[in-house]
Amino acid sequence: MSMLRFGTVGNPLSTPPRPGGTVGGIQRIHELGLGALELAWVRSVRVSEETCQRIREAAAALGIALSVHAPYFINLNARDRAGYRASKERLMAAARAGFRAGARDIVFHPGAYQGARPERAYETVRRRLQEIVEELREEGVDVTLRPETMGKSALFGTLDEVIQLSREVPGVLPCVDFAHLHARAGDGSFNSYAEFVEALKRVAAGLGPRGLQDLHIHVSGIAYTRKGERHHLNLKEADLRYEELLQALIDLGAQGRVLCESPNLEEDALLLQATYRRLLEKASASREEVG
């Protein structure tokens, strides 16, 4: 039995012009046999109440799990209050609209160190994220905010940082981007079964059973330099050992969603899903033989 849903970040490239938009994207995800869609509101959040209702109804009717990627221009470690207020409003706008549209997970880039020590940056991000969560709860916006692991060492978002935020701030869980983690060090590391298993065990150790039962994962091929991420690639053009990653997820009983950010979107999402199912069937057959 499949324990992971696969989908894309943004509408599939093959989404037809009619009905188009997110509703068309949801329909196309369903037609492709995928199960999740992350709404890519990465530039701004401009969506009406009526559109949110149509999105929510379409996803519910077809059984598609929705999440939101909030605007890129968020920095919870902004040095000035104006910068933080703008970041806060972007994240809260994504959460409010996502909640109305039926999405319960809001992914966001947490920020940059901007010369601050990681420990100091962490305290600033944690304090501000706590403030945002509390205000959303007061408004009745029941979503999970998911800080994403980031692909450059200058950016806040190591695996340990997002795990610790999730431990200390209720209503927060990680978005684990395995391509970013592979690119972050810039040396080709974090690209083996053993490293993937170790990372997943850190999630479980930090967050308990829910850590692996409600995973939100980004995967793509990725190009990188010694400074980290450059840009996303299709999986077959990159060196990410995605089959070993999927095997690690199976072996640790991971549940949740895997969203693809490769340039070819649904092509790689379907590749990931097919590979996962093949490995899952193989594991099941092996257990039956042993039994």
Side-chain angles (χ1 to χ4, degrees):
M1 179 179 176
S2 179
M3 296 181 289
L4 293 172
R5 286 175 177 256
F6 291 80
T8 61
V9 178
N11 288 343
L13 302 178
S14 57
T15 301
R18 294 178 182 274
T22 302
V23 171
I26 291 168
Q27 293 176 357
R28 185 58 182 147
I29 285 285
H30 178 70
E31 291 167 357
L32 290 165
L34 296 168
L37 176 64
E38 189 156 296
L39 312 183
W41 295 343
V42 297
R43 302 297 174 190
S44 61
V45 181
R46 297 178 182 176
V47 56
S48 68
E49 292 266 4
E50 181 182 356
T51 299
C52 286
Q53 181 176 345
R54 291 202 302 270
I55 293 170
R56 183 175 66 251
E57 290 173 351
L62 296 175
I64 303 302
L66 296 181
S67 53
V68 166
H69 198 307
Y72 291 138
F73 312 108
I74 290 172
N75 184 4
L76 299 189
N77 189 44
R79 293 177 178 176
D80 60 289
R81 293 295 298 177
Y84 165 57
R85 284 196 297 271
S87 293
K88 175 183 176 181
E89 183 49 41
R90 291 184 185 109
L91 181 52
M92 293 189 70
R96 293 177 184 124
F99 181 66
R100 290 195 294 268
R104 293 296 182 269
D105 296 273
I106 313 299
V107 175
F108 68 99
H109 296 178
Y113 295 118
Q114 294 188 309
R117 296 193 312 276
E119 304 81 25
R120 186 176 182 85
Y122 177 85
E123 286 306 317
T124 300
V125 172
R126 183 200 57 76
R127 184 180 69 254
R128 290 172 170 177
L129 187 56
Q130 179 77 52
E131 176 183 289
I132 291 168
V133 167
E134 289 175 358
E135 290 190 26
L136 289 172
R137 290 295 181 268
E138 289 174 3
E139 295 178 15
V141 178
D142 184 15
V143 295
T144 298
L145 298 183
R146 291 189 179 263
E148 183 176 347
T149 56
M150 300 304 296
K152 293 183 178 180
S153 58
L155 299 177
F156 182 97
T158 67
L159 181 61
D160 289 335
E161 284 169 341
V162 300
I163 290 172
Q164 191 64 21
L165 283 174
S166 302
R167 283 175 58 86
E168 296 188 355
V169 183
V172 173
L173 285 174
C175 172
V176 183
D177 189 314
F178 282 91
H180 284 169
L181 291 174
H182 172 44
R184 187 176 179 97
D187 60 3
S189 61
F190 197 83
N191 196 28
S192 68
Y193 174 83
E195 289 167 301
F196 298 142
V197 166
E198 191 273 335
L200 292 168
K201 286 183 176 179
R202 278 157 61 192
V203 173
L207 302 178
R210 67 173 183 159
L212 295 185
Q213 292 171 0
D214 189 14
L215 280 170
H216 197 93
I217 294 168
H218 284 179
V219 179
S220 72
I222 198 161
Y224 55 89
T225 68
R226 277 184 275 183
K227 294 184 179 180
E229 174 191 10
R230 288 189 64 192
H231 54 81
H232 292 169
L233 294 171
N234 298 333
L235 286 169
K236 291 183 179 180
E237 299 167 359
D239 66 350
L240 183 71
R241 296 174 182 168
Y242 64 89
E243 188 164 327
E244 294 183 31
L245 168 60
L246 294 171
Q247 188 65 60
L249 291 166
I250 290 170
D251 290 346
L252 272 71
Q255 302 177 46
R257 306 176 201 177
V258 177
L259 287 306
C260 182
E261 290 189 298
S262 297
N264 63 8
L265 283 180
E266 64 264 42
E267 183 177 338
D268 272 1
L270 289 167
L271 172 63
L272 290 165
Q273 179 173 265
T275 304
Y276 173 76
R277 289 178 175 175
R278 173 174 57 81
L279 293 171
L280 199 60
E281 289 176 4
K282 183 178 178 181
S284 178
S286 296
R287 285 194 295 269
E288 289 178 3
E289 289 180 5
V290 172

